[in-house]
Amino acid sequence: KSPSSNVSDEDAQASLFVTSTTINVAKYVGKYIQMMHTLEPIAYQIFLGIAQLFDFYMYTVYRFFVMPMEEVPACLKDEPALQRTSLDVELRAVLERMETKLSATASAGVDLMPHVAPVVATQLADANGLCGAAKRVVACQSLRALVRCMQTLQPRLSELLSSRAAAQTRVNQFYTRSVGGALTLTRYTYRLLSAAVLPFDTMCTAAAATNWSSNKQVDTEYNPYVDKFKEEYRLFAVRIQSLQQNGALPDSVYIVLWRETIARGFETILEAYSRAKKVSDEGQMLRKLDTQELSSELKRLAPASVGKELPRQNDVLLYVRAFYSDPDMFIPFVKENQDRLTQRQIVSIIHQGFGKSMKT
């Protein structure tokens, strides 16, 4: 890849992770394009077949490797990035349309709905394999490779349909909604995977059980739940490094999964903190100490590029600092940080005492 290329590292590596199914789909697309050239009067109808084939392939990836992970841990259910609504509206419409079409055929006695083999389903649920991370990555990278193939073919498709304005509009819609949406789907998959690879609900329960209202003098000893987090991330480091060393993860995805999984950890801490009914000054100081301790361990475990700025770490510190903010600044604080904190977390700040330390 030349320095001036606009192809991302992830796209460049996608060609190394391509399934035979993806290759076959690309071959069929090529045959359809030959048919469009030969049978010009029905070229538009043939193009619709290409669009439907691509949508079916994308939906299959979604159904096999994404849909089962949409039941995220309870402690992360309010995180916008993990909700289906984080997908583009147009992409959701494409997936829902395919779901409706396939369900209709099943009702008519012809089951075209894709079904994952039981042995694969078991592998996708295996915690030791990071919930089938290797297979999910191959699925996503194969989809990205097919996207690149379709992007290369866009000028040719437009040329073959140049005489029909309505067809050109449909081509543009297909590339915006489906082809562009497929890239969004792969990013969504990695976010959901990051929420599945660690027992975040258990980790959240451990952190939430901490007594934050104690007036005990703060020393240099962090709370026990931090050890639980550190233990889980050490195990995650061993597992993901093993996958990378075995060639199952491209470097770009390795970095993405580290970033996303660390973000889920700090989001879990935010959720745990927001469950407290009462927090003392000493409790807030302990929270800061705990965050610093966990951050130090994550910087040691994660790739250097991730450790430079740990995802969502600053949001935890922001939450803690609210305790020391000017009470009159609460409304500006909410407006400025409503994209960084969930509604529940903002409400908890009110209950725990925004600017409380400045009043006492």
Side-chain angles (χ1 to χ4, degrees):
K1 181 167 75 84
S2 67
S4 60
S5 173
N6 59 2
V7 178
S8 69
D9 290 338
E10 188 172 353
D11 284 334
Q13 293 178 355
S15 59
L16 304 178
F17 294 79
V18 180
T19 65
S20 58
T21 301
T22 310
I23 294 173
N24 286 333
V25 170
K27 288 180 179 179
Y28 277 117
V29 171
K31 291 179 180 179
Y32 279 18
I33 289 179
Q34 287 180 333
M35 292 170 62
M36 290 175 66
H37 176 73
T38 304
L39 305 173
E40 193 277 334
I42 60 170
Y44 178 61
Q45 285 72 24
I46 298 172
F47 163 74
L48 294 179
I50 293 176
Q52 189 173 46
L53 178 61
F54 182 90
D55 286 350
F56 179 75
Y57 179 87
M58 179 171 62
Y59 175 78
T60 301
V61 170
Y62 168 74
R63 185 173 177 85
F64 281 9
F65 302 101
V66 187
M67 186 185 293
M69 296 192 297
E70 289 188 306
E71 290 294 328
V72 300
C75 67
L76 296 172
K77 64 182 179 62
D78 291 334
E79 290 298 331
L82 299 178
Q83 297 176 11
R84 196 177 185 187
T85 51
S86 67
L87 293 176
D88 296 337
V89 174
E90 293 177 338
L91 173 59
R92 296 204 307 272
V94 171
L95 296 174
E96 290 165 5
R97 185 168 63 250
M98 289 300 302
E99 178 88 25
T100 301
K101 286 182 178 180
L102 294 172
S103 297
T105 60
S107 300
V110 182
D111 188 6
L112 298 178
M113 188 72 74
H115 299 283
V116 65
V119 64
V120 176
T122 300
Q123 293 170 344
L124 294 177
D126 182 19
N128 292 326
L130 294 182
C131 299
K135 286 182 169 54
R136 296 184 200 275
V137 168
V138 168
C140 288
Q141 296 300 90
S142 293
L143 181 57
R144 295 187 74 98
L146 186 59
V147 166
R148 290 187 64 194
C149 174
M150 296 305 302
Q151 289 172 337
T152 301
L153 293 172
Q154 184 174 6
R156 179 57 175 158
L157 287 171
S158 296
E159 178 186 350
L160 290 170
L161 297 171
S162 59
S163 61
R164 300 181 60 178
Q168 287 287 349
T169 300
R170 181 65 181 87
V171 169
N172 292 335
Q173 289 176 343
F174 167 68
Y175 273 91
T176 299
R177 297 173 181 177
S178 296
V179 179
L183 299 179
T184 304
L185 183 63
T186 62
R187 292 189 288 269
Y188 178 59
T189 304
Y190 294 145
R191 291 198 300 272
L192 291 180
L193 178 58
S194 71
V197 295
L198 293 182
F200 287 113
D201 275 337
T202 302
M203 295 159 68
C204 183
T205 299
T210 304
N211 179 12
W212 300 112
S213 61
S214 173
N215 293 319
K216 180 181 177 181
Q217 184 175 358
V218 178
D219 52 25
T220 58
E221 186 64 27
Y222 54 85
N223 281 302
Y225 77 86
V226 178
D227 283 328
K228 173 65 174 175
F229 275 71
K230 290 164 67 175
E231 177 186 347
E232 293 295 346
Y233 274 103
R234 287 169 187 159
L235 184 57
F236 171 75
V238 170
R239 289 171 173 170
I240 194 171
Q241 287 169 9
S242 176
L243 289 176
Q244 186 201 32
Q245 291 169 0
N246 291 335
L249 294 181
D251 293 343
S252 58
V253 177
Y254 175 75
I255 297 295
V256 167
L257 289 179
W258 260 113
R259 288 187 184 280
E260 293 293 346
T261 306
I262 288 175
R264 302 294 87 79
F266 283 120
E267 288 162 1
T268 299
I269 289 178
L270 277 170
E271 173 62 20
Y273 288 178
S274 71
R275 294 181 182 181
K277 301 299 183 183
K278 185 179 179 181
V279 185
S280 64
D281 288 358
E282 290 77 9
Q284 290 288 16
M285 293 175 67
L286 271 174
R287 286 177 169 182
K288 187 174 181 180
L289 178 63
D290 293 348
T291 302
Q292 291 173 342
E293 176 64 26
L294 177 59
S295 298
S296 295
E297 180 68 3
L298 291 175
K299 288 180 180 180
R300 185 184 70 83
L301 294 172
S305 61
V306 178
K308 289 180 180 179
E309 186 174 351
L310 297 174
R312 300 304 303 271
Q313 176 197 24
N314 287 335
D315 293 340
V316 176
L317 297 176
L318 171 74
Y319 183 92
V320 174
R321 284 197 300 269
F323 197 70
Y324 305 97
S325 300
D326 184 340
D328 296 331
M329 294 300 295
F330 179 70
I331 298 300
F333 174 88
V334 172
K335 291 181 178 179
E336 183 179 349
N337 299 296
Q338 58 185 341
D339 294 333
R340 298 175 62 181
L341 301 174
T342 67
Q343 183 177 359
R344 176 193 176 102
Q345 290 157 7
I346 291 175
V347 170
S348 73
I349 291 175
I350 301 174
H351 292 160
Q352 295 175 21
F354 184 91
K356 181 179 177 181
S357 287
M358 294 191 68
K359 298 177 183 178
T360 58

